[in-house]
Amino acid sequence: MNPFEEQKKKQERIDASMKSINCLIAVGSGKGGVGKSTVSANLALSLAKEGYRVGLADADVYGPSIPTLFNIDKADVMVTEKDGQELMLPIEKFGIKLMSIGFMVDENAPLMWRGPMASNALTQMLSETLWGELDFLILDMPPGTGDIQLTLIQSFHPHGSIFVCTPQQLAVADVRRAINMFDNENIKVPVMGLVENMSYFTPSDMPDKKYYIFGQDGGKKLAQELNIDFLGEIPISQSVSECNDNGNPIAMLFDYTEAKAFMQLANKVVEKSKTIK
Ligand code: ADP
């Protein structure tokens, strides 16, 4: 098979694997450490709480977080056969389907991957997972705007994208660059909006107070400037980080204000998803 035919076949396999996904949403950020995985996981769980069929794919080669966030220790990913092709079965937890590059390799291995190697591994992971019918597949992207991100977007054509930033990061060019990459006329992945994480702090004994430690409304203003929707503010909170570390994301705890913030985000995403197709 010549390389063009090979590429065409590969793309056909990718398209076939995504056929049962109603809405593929890429979650990106300019830099790592802003809470992209936290937002992806809690958004996925909030959508599932609303009754949607949801998958979460961890494509962050630089720091796969799903194994930790869901306390899955190098899970035994099972393989099944469908139409003569070997496919991986996603791990099901808290009602969502999970797949992570971290399930497949040693903890530190992905960090050493470069361009094509990482792109190939991620493409294979996403397209060779038997996702089944899903209303939403949330794709936790690697941070930044390199070749890996570009290949993923061009191969999988997400229906929409969401960006996560923190108040300290608002002035930084890489958030804009990440948004511009999706918005680019050759790529044209609709930008659903911007989420500001770690926006404010609420002391547990003063649940009505919001301290905007790093300044207020920065995310809103950036969204306005870029002419995209602002999807909401997520507080910085010890509970969010403890829940992450315990493998029990906060969206599972219905009464928490942080869980409510993620539910509001999920509701906005559902509304936006109706307008992008
Ligand atoms: P990214 O995916 O952007 O690299 P993570 O979601 O892994 O970021 O988050 C980075 C760190 O910040 C983690 O230790 C996580 O528990 C913590 N974190 C993320 N969001 C919050 C928040 N809203 N409040 C407190 N800690 C948070």
Side-chain angles (χ1 to χ4, degrees):
M1 210 187 293
N2 73 42
F4 295 110
E5 279 171 21
E6 211 169 289
Q7 186 57 33
K8 195 169 153 229
K9 278 257 169 310
K10 191 173 159 192
Q11 189 60 50
E12 280 169 7
R13 276 201 299 273
I14 292 176
D15 294 344
S17 72
M18 291 291 119
K19 249 196 170 140
S20 60
I21 314 292
N22 231 320
C23 188
L24 174 64
I25 299 177
V27 181
S29 66
K31 275 216 164 71
V34 298
K36 175 177 51 57
S37 301
T38 304
V39 169
S40 302
N42 285 291
L43 168 63
L45 289 166
S46 303
L47 289 167
K49 270 161 57 176
E50 291 288 77
Y52 293 102
R53 298 165 299 177
V54 183
L56 172 60
D58 180 2
D60 190 348
V61 264
Y62 303 117
S65 307
I66 287 180
T68 310
L69 288 176
F70 289 83
N71 196 15
I72 298 172
D73 184 31
K74 265 257 173 200
D76 311 22
V77 175
M78 309 270 275
V79 173
T80 184
E81 210 184 284
K82 192 170 180 254
D83 306 329
Q85 199 196 352
E86 284 208 330
L87 295 173
M88 295 178 287
L89 288 169
I91 308 284
E92 295 206 38
K93 194 149 184 193
F94 305 137
I96 63 178
K97 292 182 175 175
L98 302 167
M99 185 52 74
S100 168
I101 198 70
F103 292 165
M104 263 146 264
V105 284
D106 282 339
E107 225 166 87
N108 297 316
L111 292 168
M112 296 184 289
W113 289 350
R114 288 287 170 265
M117 197 169 170
S119 302
N120 282 337
L122 292 173
T123 303
Q124 199 174 348
M125 175 190 88
L126 284 166
S127 63
E128 296 182 12
T129 295
L130 187 58
W131 293 106
E133 295 280 332
L134 290 181
D135 298 308
F136 292 98
L137 178 57
I138 307 297
L139 178 56
D140 184 359
M141 296 279 291
T145 48
D147 284 350
I148 305 172
Q149 294 81 341
L150 200 58
T151 307
L152 273 181
I153 303 170
Q154 287 180 324
S155 308
F156 288 89
H157 308 292
H159 299 101
S161 56
I162 292 174
F163 294 88
V164 182
C165 65
T166 59
Q168 302 100 307
Q169 219 217 345
L170 291 171
V172 179
D174 49 31
V175 189
R176 292 157 212 258
R177 226 182 350 252
I179 294 172
N180 285 338
M181 181 171 83
F182 282 75
D183 212 16
N184 180 290
E185 60 182 79
N186 298 317
I187 303 216
K188 283 213 161 50
V189 171
V191 176
M192 299 169 86
L194 180 72
V195 184
E196 190 183 79
N197 186 29
M198 310 197 207
S199 298
Y200 59 88
F201 174 71
T202 297
S204 51
D205 51 348
M206 288 188 278
D208 297 325
K209 270 250 173 256
K210 286 183 179 176
Y211 289 102
Y212 287 86
I213 312 167
F214 312 107
Q216 196 171 349
D217 286 341
K220 257 183 219 157
K221 285 179 193 149
L222 179 64
Q224 258 167 17
E225 182 200 314
L226 297 172
N227 203 17
I228 59 175
D229 279 357
F230 184 64
L231 300 174
E233 299 172 339
I234 307 294
I236 183 164
S237 125
Q238 193 176 343
S239 311
V240 170
S241 107
E242 278 173 3
C243 285
N244 278 354
D245 294 344
N246 295 336
N248 198 6
I250 196 137
M252 297 310 296
L253 305 174
F254 285 66
D255 289 341
Y256 278 59
T257 45
E258 296 89 337
K260 289 176 188 154
F262 283 115
M263 185 53 89
Q264 277 172 8
L265 169 65
N267 290 334
K268 283 215 171 135
V269 167
V270 170
E271 282 315 305
K272 275 303 284 183
S273 73
K274 292 175 187 161
T275 65
I276 55 175
K277 283 205 255 170

